[in-house]
């Protein structure tokens, strides 16, 4: 087992926080979130054999609406503008349909 220095861990945590902040801002703009609405991102282990080891879960929390969860099968550092545009379109479709769950493939 490898040990990570506290300094390296803090630097990595700082980088992740900055990346998460940028993605939240970009998603907030893409989703046209209001002041009382927010988005949360978290990387988790992906149990599906068809995805990489880690994926990003995005929670969109809008006022007077149920929280919607989205999965991007990439780590935060690999998420690009196309991924954000697809998520925004998926969220728009779910809101229009009045659903929380993703439509079946």
């Amino acid at each position: 087992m490898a040990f990570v220095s506290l300094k390296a861990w803090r630097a990595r945590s700082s980088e992740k926080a900055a990346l998460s902040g940028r993605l939240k801002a970009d998603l907030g703009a893409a989703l046209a979130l209001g002041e009382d609405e927010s988005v949360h991102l978290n990387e988790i282990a992906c149990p599906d054999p068809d995805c990489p080891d880690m994926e990003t879960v995005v929670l969109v929390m809008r006022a007077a609406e149920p929280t919607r969860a989205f999965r991007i099968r990439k780590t935060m550092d690999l998420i690009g503008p196309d991924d954000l545009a697809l998520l925004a379109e998926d969220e728009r479709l779910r809101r229009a349909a009045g659903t929380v769950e993703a439509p079946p493939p």
Side-chain angles (χ1 to χ4, degrees):
M1 180 169 137
F3 290 97
V4 178
S5 72
L6 183 57
K7 183 178 179 180
W9 180 82
R10 284 183 178 157
R12 185 174 182 278
S13 293
S14 178
E15 290 170 7
K16 281 283 188 190
L19 176 58
S20 178
R22 284 193 305 273
L23 288 172
K24 285 180 182 182
D26 292 346
L27 275 170
L31 297 169
L33 295 179
E35 280 189 30
D36 57 345
E37 300 171 329
S38 65
V39 64
H40 180 76
L41 292 100
N42 197 19
E43 286 182 347
I44 63 168
C46 181
D48 189 343
D50 292 335
C51 78
D53 291 340
M54 300 292 285
E55 67 181 351
T56 302
V57 174
V58 179
L59 299 177
V60 177
M61 295 164 273
R62 293 186 178 268
E65 293 184 24
T67 298
R68 289 182 179 82
F70 300 88
R71 292 170 47 179
I72 301 176
R73 293 184 169 199
K74 298 178 180 178
T75 56
M76 281 192 258
D77 59 324
L78 297 178
I79 294 175
D82 292 342
D83 300 308
L84 301 181
L86 286 172
L87 188 143
E89 178 62 15
D90 189 14
E91 203 265 345
R92 186 190 67 74
L93 293 173
R94 288 193 205 180
R95 286 185 81 202
T99 62
V100 174
E101 299 297 321

